[in-house]
Amino acid sequence: MKKYQKITPIEVVGIDEMGYVVQNVGDSSDQWVINPDKFEETYKEVNTSNTVTQSFIQDIIDNSIVEVQTIFDKCTVVSCQLPNGFIIVESSACVDPANYDVKLGAQICMERITNKIWELEGYRLQDELSNK
């Protein structure tokens, strides 16, 4: 299906007798229907050929090797080897080891790694587009 954007990117996932069935990109938990006339005047189609997508980033993460380590009983270090061999390392720590939660630390690190992948892929795409 085509992707559209106003402020938040949405995706048309179907059409019924009431209009377009849409959802936020990557979030199938909330769907709604928009009148076709209102939809066309409100949303513009997104050119996905020059866009880094959530599914593209998720595919990179899904095909990466991730290692999680605890250091000094209060620091989480996550190393992520991307499919092309590039490695991103992030850390998260707390002050008191009694408050340490490896799952929370790993989640924080993976969010940072994901943001870094977005940045790197955005740079890669910009470089490709500028060299055309």
Side-chain angles (χ1 to χ4, degrees):
M1 290 283 176
K2 294 181 180 178
K3 290 184 174 38
Y4 294 83
Q5 184 169 351
K6 184 176 178 185
I7 294 173
T8 303
I10 63 167
E11 183 173 12
V12 175
V13 294
I15 300 174
D16 69 11
E17 64 279 352
M18 302 289 289
Y20 292 112
V21 179
V22 298
Q23 68 187 26
N24 287 332
V25 171
D27 179 13
S28 61
S29 63
D30 188 25
Q31 296 183 349
W32 63 98
V33 177
I34 299 177
N35 175 295
D37 295 331
K38 187 68 172 168
F39 180 85
E40 295 298 335
E41 64 186 54
T42 306
Y43 292 91
K44 64 175 186 159
E45 188 174 345
V46 175
N47 179 354
T48 57
S49 66
N50 64 357
T51 304
V52 178
T53 64
Q54 178 67 43
S55 61
F56 182 76
I57 299 298
Q58 191 59 51
D59 187 55
I60 291 172
I61 293 169
D62 291 344
N63 289 293
S64 295
I65 299 169
V66 177
E67 293 183 3
V68 178
Q69 299 173 315
T70 298
I71 299 175
F72 301 119
D73 298 323
K74 63 179 187 175
C75 179
T76 303
V77 176
V78 176
S79 304
C80 181
Q81 184 179 29
L82 304 182
N84 67 1
F86 191 80
I87 298 170
I88 301 172
V89 179
E90 287 290 342
S91 65
S92 174
C94 62
V95 174
D96 185 351
N99 295 328
Y100 180 70
D101 181 347
V102 69
K103 288 182 182 178
L104 179 59
Q107 177 185 352
I108 292 167
C109 290
M110 284 307 299
E111 287 174 10
R112 292 176 181 165
I113 288 169
T114 301
N115 289 338
K116 179 62 75 173
I117 295 170
W118 275 103
E119 183 179 354
L120 292 169
E121 288 300 325
Y123 174 84
R124 180 197 55 77
L125 179 59
Q126 180 69 61
D127 190 54
E128 284 179 10
L129 293 173
S130 68
N131 289 324
K132 286 187 177 181

